[in-house]
Amino acid sequence: MPTKVAQKQQGAVSHRMNFWGRPAGPSTVAWDYEDMPWEIVRPDDGLPAARRSVRCRVCDRELTFTVYSVTGTGRRQARWRALAWAGLGILVAGVVVLFSGAMLGGGVALVIAGPILGLVFGMAASDEVGISGHGNGFPVTNAKHAVTASPPPYDLQDLACTTCGHTEEFPRAAYFREDYVQEQYEAARDRFARHVCLASGGTGPKW
Ligand SMILES: [Zn+2]
Ligand SMILES: [Zn+2]
């Protein structure tokens, strides 16, 4: 799933602390990052990418990233997906070559390369958050500075009584499913509609 992007969203710039990957289980290495919160502000759709600077707390370097608009980011995600599909095409071509028996070695190479390219570009598509610079967003590499973006919360109107300040809470974090959030929001709206406002000289709760 591609990362959800919004014109304004909370992100983080991370400075990688270790030069070599720390062994973390068989055939995996771990990278320790020091995270600094960074509010990502994107240019309007249709405008070219903007340069945004942020100072790294760890190495005190001024980092400049290229930040793409929401639609610009969508195009970049689509480009990675197209390359991932091309990887699948290479796999299919390899199978065809193998069955034709024309070039056995070539067919094997294509069958191996295709899925690897598909995987690498597919991962790049899901990691793409429309921010480039300092090696961020390139597949496979482990940049010294990485940028991550938290998915923005659901855009729903607050349910707050303007007279007494009573608010009806509902979940809106991006990691909840959309239909769950919608269901909970409707329930909260029903509760809010039954709100008896004491401050406005209402009838008070009925027992
Ligand atoms: Zn740094
Ligand atoms: Zn009220």
Side-chain angles (χ1 to χ4, degrees):
M1 281 297 286
T3 308
K4 265 203 324 185
V5 295
Q7 192 162 24
K8 263 192 188 175
Q9 74 191 116
Q10 194 53 52
V13 179
S14 310
H15 176 108
R16 178 159 52 78
M17 299 303 282
N18 45 353
F19 185 73
W20 303 104
R22 186 162 46 77
S27 76
T28 49
V29 289
W31 304 93
D32 297 319
Y33 280 95
E34 173 84 21
D35 298 335
M36 287 149 278
W38 180 38
E39 172 155 58
I40 300 166
V41 181
R42 300 174 188 278
D44 289 335
D45 285 344
L47 290 182
R51 314 272 288 162
R52 302 256 190 268
S53 294
V54 58
R55 182 166 290 281
C56 178
R57 247 200 341 245
V58 180
C59 61
D60 205 36
R61 265 180 62 198
E62 177 96 359
L63 306 167
T64 306
F65 291 99
T66 305
V67 180
Y68 294 84
S69 66
V70 174
T71 53
T73 303
R75 274 196 298 275
R76 288 168 68 84
Q77 289 172 341
R79 198 186 58 194
W80 290 124
R81 275 198 300 276
L83 287 169
W85 282 107
L88 198 69
I90 290 169
L91 168 68
V92 171
V95 170
V96 170
V97 170
L98 277 184
F99 273 93
S100 74
M103 290 186 309
L104 204 58
V108 170
L110 293 178
V111 166
I112 293 169
I116 292 172
L117 290 175
L119 194 68
V120 165
F121 290 128
M123 275 162 57
S126 61
D127 288 348
E128 175 68 58
V129 291
I131 293 164
S132 68
H134 303 280
N136 187 64
F138 280 99
V140 192
T141 54
N142 249 305
K144 183 85 189 162
H145 292 96
V147 180
T148 47
S150 317
Y154 289 99
D155 187 21
L156 294 167
Q157 208 194 337
D158 286 328
L159 300 173
C161 176
T162 49
T163 313
C164 71
H166 163 85
T167 57
E168 212 61 71
E169 299 296 335
F170 54 90
R172 56 164 49 161
Y175 49 80
F176 291 121
R177 268 191 356 263
E178 192 169 356
D179 51 349
Y180 170 76
V181 171
Q182 199 54 45
E183 201 175 275
Q184 295 294 310
Y185 183 66
E186 272 158 29
R189 215 170 41 192
D190 287 349
R191 287 197 304 276
F192 186 66
R194 289 195 304 270
H195 162 66
V196 179
C197 193
L198 296 169
S200 71
T203 51
K206 293 183 182 73
W207 302 102

